[in-house]
Coordinates of all heavy atoms in Angstrom, one line a residue:
D68 N -9.0 -126.2 8.5 CA -8.3 -127.1 7.6 C -7.3 -126.2 6.7 O -6.2 -126.7 6.5 CB -9.3 -127.8 6.6 CG -9.9 -129.0 7.3 OD1 -9.5 -129.4 8.4 OD2 -10.8 -129.6 6.7
I71 N -4.1 -125.7 8.7 CA -3.3 -126.9 8.8 C -2.6 -127.1 7.4 O -1.4 -127.4 7.4 CB -4.2 -128.1 9.1 CG1 -4.7 -128.0 10.5 CG2 -3.5 -129.4 8.8 CD1 -5.7 -129.1 10.9
V75 N 1.6 -127.0 7.2 CA 2.3 -128.3 6.8 C 3.0 -128.2 5.5 O 4.1 -128.6 5.3 CB 1.3 -129.5 6.8 CG1 1.9 -130.7 6.2 CG2 0.8 -129.8 8.3
L88 N 5.9 -134.8 15.1 CA 4.7 -134.0 15.3 C 4.3 -134.1 16.8 O 4.1 -135.2 17.3 CB 3.5 -134.5 14.5 CG 2.2 -133.8 14.7 CD1 2.2 -132.3 14.5 CD2 1.1 -134.5 13.9
N90 N 1.5 -133.0 19.2 CA 0.1 -132.5 19.3 C -0.2 -132.2 20.8 O -0.4 -133.1 21.6 CB -0.9 -133.6 18.9 CG -0.9 -133.9 17.4 OD1 -1.2 -133.0 16.6 ND2 -0.5 -135.1 17.0
I117 N -10.8 -133.5 16.8 CA -10.9 -133.4 15.3 C -9.7 -132.7 14.7 O -9.0 -133.1 13.8 CB -12.2 -132.8 14.9 CG1 -13.4 -133.7 15.3 CG2 -12.2 -132.6 13.3 CD1 -14.7 -133.1 15.1
G118 N -9.3 -131.5 15.3 CA -8.2 -130.8 14.9 C -6.9 -131.6 14.9 O -6.1 -131.5 14.0
T119 N -6.7 -132.3 16.0 CA -5.5 -133.1 16.2 C -5.5 -134.2 15.2 O -4.4 -134.5 14.6 CB -5.4 -133.7 17.6 OG1 -5.4 -132.6 18.6 CG2 -4.2 -134.5 17.8
I120 N -6.6 -134.8 14.9 CA -6.7 -135.9 13.9 C -6.4 -135.3 12.5 O -5.6 -135.9 11.7 CB -8.0 -136.6 13.9 CG1 -8.2 -137.4 15.2 CG2 -8.2 -137.5 12.7 CD1 -9.6 -138.0 15.4
R121 N -7.0 -134.1 12.2 CA -6.8 -133.5 10.9 C -5.3 -133.2 10.7 O -4.8 -133.3 9.6 CB -7.7 -132.3 10.7 CG -9.1 -132.6 10.6 CD -9.5 -133.3 9.3 NE -9.2 -132.4 8.2 CZ -8.3 -132.6 7.2 NH1 -7.6 -133.7 7.3 NH2 -8.1 -131.8 6.3
L122 N -4.6 -132.6 11.7 CA -3.2 -132.3 11.6 C -2.4 -133.5 11.3 O -1.5 -133.6 10.5 CB -2.8 -131.5 12.8 CG -1.3 -131.1 12.8 CD1 -0.9 -130.3 11.6 CD2 -0.9 -130.4 14.1
T123 N -2.7 -134.6 12.1 CA -2.0 -135.9 11.9 C -2.2 -136.4 10.5 O -1.3 -136.9 9.9 CB -2.5 -136.9 13.0 OG1 -2.3 -136.4 14.3 CG2 -1.8 -138.2 12.8
Q124 N -3.4 -136.3 10.0 CA -3.7 -136.7 8.6 C -2.8 -136.0 7.6 O -2.4 -136.5 6.6 CB -5.2 -136.5 8.3 CG -6.2 -137.5 8.9 CD -7.6 -137.2 8.5 OE1 -8.0 -136.0 8.6 NE2 -8.3 -138.2 8.1
A125 N -2.7 -134.7 7.9 CA -1.9 -133.9 6.9 C -0.4 -134.2 6.9 O 0.3 -134.1 5.9 CB -2.1 -132.4 7.3
V126 N 0.1 -134.7 8.1 CA 1.5 -135.0 8.2 C 1.8 -136.4 7.7 O 2.9 -136.7 7.2 CB 2.0 -134.8 9.6 CG1 3.3 -135.4 9.9 CG2 1.9 -133.3 10.0
L127 N 0.9 -137.3 7.9 CA 1.1 -138.7 7.6 C 1.7 -139.1 6.2 O 2.6 -139.9 6.1 CB -0.2 -139.5 7.8 CG -0.4 -140.1 9.2 CD1 -1.8 -140.8 9.3 CD2 0.7 -141.1 9.6
P128 N 1.1 -138.5 5.1 CA 1.7 -138.9 3.8 C 3.2 -138.7 3.7 O 3.9 -139.5 3.1 CB 0.9 -138.0 2.8 CG -0.4 -137.7 3.6 CD 0.0 -137.6 5.0
H129 N 3.7 -137.6 4.3 CA 5.1 -137.2 4.2 C 5.9 -138.2 5.0 O 7.0 -138.7 4.6 CB 5.3 -135.8 4.7 CG 4.4 -134.8 4.0 ND1 4.7 -134.4 2.7 CD2 3.3 -134.2 4.4 CE1 3.7 -133.5 2.3 NE2 2.9 -133.4 3.3
I138 N 4.9 -139.4 16.0 CA 3.7 -138.6 16.3 C 3.4 -138.7 17.8 O 3.1 -139.8 18.2 CB 2.5 -139.0 15.4 CG1 2.8 -138.9 14.0 CG2 1.2 -138.2 15.8 CD1 1.8 -139.5 13.0
F166 N -8.2 -143.2 18.4 CA -7.6 -142.9 17.1 C -6.1 -143.3 17.0 O -5.7 -144.0 16.1 CB -7.8 -141.5 16.7 CG -7.1 -141.0 15.5 CD1 -7.6 -141.4 14.2 CD2 -5.9 -140.3 15.6 CE1 -6.9 -141.0 13.1 CE2 -5.2 -140.0 14.4 CZ -5.7 -140.3 13.2
F167 N -5.4 -142.8 18.0 CA -3.9 -143.1 17.9 C -3.6 -144.5 18.2 O -2.6 -145.0 17.6 CB -3.2 -142.2 18.9 CG -3.0 -140.8 18.4 CD1 -3.6 -139.7 19.0 CD2 -2.3 -140.5 17.2 CE1 -3.5 -138.4 18.5 CE2 -2.2 -139.3 16.7 CZ -2.7 -138.2 17.3
L170 N -4.2 -146.1 14.9 CA -3.3 -145.6 13.9 C -1.9 -146.4 14.1 O -1.3 -146.8 13.1 CB -3.1 -144.1 14.1 CG -2.1 -143.5 13.2 CD1 -2.6 -143.5 11.7 CD2 -1.8 -142.0 13.6

Side-chain angles (χ1 to χ4, degrees):
D68 282 352
I71 289 173
V75 170
L88 171 61
N90 291 297
I117 298 171
T119 300
I120 290 173
R121 291 291 295 115
L122 178 57
T123 300
Q124 286 179 311
V126 169
L127 268 176
H129 307 285
I138 300 171
F166 170 77
F167 280 119
L170 180 67

